[in-house]
């Protein structure tokens, strides 16, 4: 039973490349909970206090992004310590963190997703290029287990391949490559208490929704609800819920899509989405008259 006197650990920071974003997310979450009257909220950075779990906690709010936070690692620690926590459990978190493993599950469950290939860091770059050439250029490469578009590269032809191959693999052993849908529209669906929030349409001014576009005020225009018809809205929301559930996720998260030529493709599921001032789930929740403090409280009260 969680109440306003419960001892709450907001887990933030960590050691991943998304540390700075996680610090912003975690501080916002902690402030939102305090605004709602929770008096025993503690901001805990597991990278600075690795044995935090040895203390008594009534519940943990996971606000860690990237490795160690979204990949099931911290969730496993919390499960073993029998500490209730927010979001998806360890197995679903681990699966969702891998883009290519997620897409394999999408394909098996008839959820539309872009064709893809995976390259490995130790692969010969020429052999890797031959493999990726089975896709239609231009292609986009993404480190398999990074978030926030970190390490993302677009390759238009063979001349750009070597540099892009080395750059993407500097962020991870595996890289997933997909066709780059130039002019495609990014859509995203927040999930709250296992229900779909309004669809958000994302229009980065640079033309690509990269790290800078995601986290710099004024670099991207957002439309919520998205400027799409009711039929497409329902289709995207239905696919979002299905993708969320086939990966075994629970409670809250976000599902990303790209839409072009009347076709929608599921990209990935985020089990610990950002909760920064530019973040998407709070934008969608606001459309449903759920303010930020209410949102974080709802997520907290749904802790497993």
């Amino acid at each position: 039973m969680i109440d306003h006197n419960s001892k709450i650990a907001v887990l933030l920071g960590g050691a991943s490349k998304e540390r700075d974003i996680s610090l912003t997310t975690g501080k916002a979450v902690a402030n939102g909970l305090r605004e709602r009257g929770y008096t025993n909220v503690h901001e805990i950075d597991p990278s600075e206090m690795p044995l935090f779990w040895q203390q008594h906690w009534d519940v943990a709010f996971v606000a860690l992004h990237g490795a160690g936070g979204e990949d099931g690692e911290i969730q496993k620690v919390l499960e073993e310590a029998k500490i209730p926590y927010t979001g998806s459990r360890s197995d679903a978190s681990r699966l969702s963190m891998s883009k290519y493993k997620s897409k394999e599950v999408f394909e098996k469950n008839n959820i539309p997703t872009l064709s893809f290939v995976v390259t490995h860091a130790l692969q010969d770059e020429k052999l890797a290029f031959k493999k990726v050439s089975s896709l239609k250029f231009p292609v986009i490469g993404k480190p398999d287990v990074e978030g926030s578009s970190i390490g993302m590269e677009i390759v238009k032809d063979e001349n750009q391949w070597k540099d892009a191959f080395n750059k993407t693999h500097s962020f991870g052993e595996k890289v997933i490559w997909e066709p780059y849908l130039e002019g495609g529209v990014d859509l995203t669906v927040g999930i709250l208490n296992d229900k779909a929030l309004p669809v958000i349409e994302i229009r980065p001014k640079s033309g690509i929704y990269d790290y800078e576009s995601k986290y710099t005020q004024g670099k991207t225009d957002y439309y919520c609800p998205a400027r799409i018809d009711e039929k497409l809205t329902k289709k995207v929301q239905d696919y979002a819920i299905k993708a969320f559930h086939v990966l075994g996720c629970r409670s809250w998260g976000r599902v990303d899509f790209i839409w072009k030529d009347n076709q929608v493709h599921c990209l990935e599921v985020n089990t610990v989405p950002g909760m920064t001032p530019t973040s998407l789930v709070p934008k969608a929740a606001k459309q449903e008259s759920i303010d930020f403090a209410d949102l974080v409280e709802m997520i907290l009260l749904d802790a497993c």
Side-chain angles (χ1 to χ4, degrees), residues 1-26:
M1 177 77 177
I2 301 168
D3 60 36
H4 285 87
N5 296 313
S6 297
K7 188 177 180 183
I8 303 167
V10 176
L11 303 181
L12 76 174
S16 80
K17 296 179 181 69
E18 297 180 75
R19 174 180 172 81
D20 289 345
I21 303 156
S22 175
L23 288 170
T24 304
T25 283

Side-chain angles (χ1 to χ4, degrees), residues 36-100:
R36 281 292 166 268
Y38 293 87
T39 58
N40 203 1
V41 178
H42 303 261
E43 296 167 33
I44 304 294
D45 187 336
S47 67
E48 297 174 357
M49 189 182 172
L51 300 182
F52 78 92
W53 52 269
Q54 291 185 350
Q55 297 185 35
H56 167 74
W57 300 101
D58 292 309
V59 63
F61 195 115
V62 179
L64 293 161
H65 303 312
E70 290 182 80
D71 57 3
E73 184 178 314
I74 197 69
Q75 288 81 3
K76 191 68 174 175
V77 169
L78 294 167
E79 288 164 9
E80 290 173 352
K82 295 182 169 53
I83 299 171
Y85 62 88
T86 57
S88 295
R89 295 187 64 83
S90 58
D91 289 348
S93 299
R94 190 178 305 112
L95 177 58
S96 301
M97 189 68 181
S98 170
K99 295 178 179 66
Y100 89 87

Side-chain angles (χ1 to χ4, degrees), residues 174-226:
K174 293 186 182 72
V175 172
I176 183 170
W177 300 89
E178 301 168 322
Y180 174 58
L181 301 186
E182 197 161 7
V185 178
D186 289 292
L187 302 172
T188 194
V189 180
I191 307 291
L192 181 62
N193 294 345
D194 295 311
K195 295 180 180 178
L197 292 171
V199 182
I200 298 178
E201 175 186 347
I202 302 163
R203 293 283 185 171
K205 293 176 181 177
S206 67
I208 181 166
Y209 197 43
D210 56 11
Y211 185 94
E212 184 178 3
S213 296
K214 287 181 177 179
Y215 297 110
T216 306
Q217 291 275 11
K219 290 281 187 178
T220 299
D221 292 324
Y222 300 96
Y223 299 92
C224 185

Side-chain angles (χ1 to χ4, degrees), residues 96-223:
S96 301
M97 189 68 181
S98 170
K99 295 178 179 66
Y100 89 87
K101 288 181 180 178
S102 296
K103 285 167 70 71
E104 287 177 339
V105 175
F106 297 159
E107 289 180 335
K108 288 177 183 177
N109 287 275
N110 299 314
I111 297 169
T113 190
L114 292 167
S115 54
F116 68 98
V117 298
V118 177
T119 59
H120 301 263
L122 297 179
Q123 230 174 337
D124 177 83
E125 67 191 51
K126 292 182 180 178
L127 291 177
F129 179 77
K130 186 176 180 180
K131 185 177 183 181
V132 173
S133 294
S134 64
L135 304 172
K136 184 178 179 181
F137 281 86
V139 296
I140 186 167
K142 308 170 189 175
D144 184 50
V145 292
E146 286 290 351
S148 295
S149 300
I150 290 172
M152 187 173 69
E153 291 287 328
I154 296 170
V155 179
K156 295 183 178 180
D157 54 46
E158 188 171 2
N159 294 328
Q160 298 176 330
W161 171 252
K162 182 177 179 179
D163 189 46
F165 178 81
N166 291 328
K167 281 183 178 178
T168 53
H169 278 292
S170 70
F171 291 93
E173 195 274 324
K174 293 186 182 72
V175 172
I176 183 170
W177 300 89
E178 301 168 322
Y180 174 58
L181 301 186
E182 197 161 7
V185 178
D186 289 292
L187 302 172
T188 194
V189 180
I191 307 291
L192 181 62
N193 294 345
D194 295 311
K195 295 180 180 178
L197 292 171
V199 182
I200 298 178
E201 175 186 347
I202 302 163
R203 293 283 185 171
K205 293 176 181 177
S206 67
I208 181 166
Y209 197 43
D210 56 11
Y211 185 94
E212 184 178 3
S213 296
K214 287 181 177 179
Y215 297 110
T216 306
Q217 291 275 11
K219 290 281 187 178
T220 299
D221 292 324
Y222 300 96
Y223 299 92

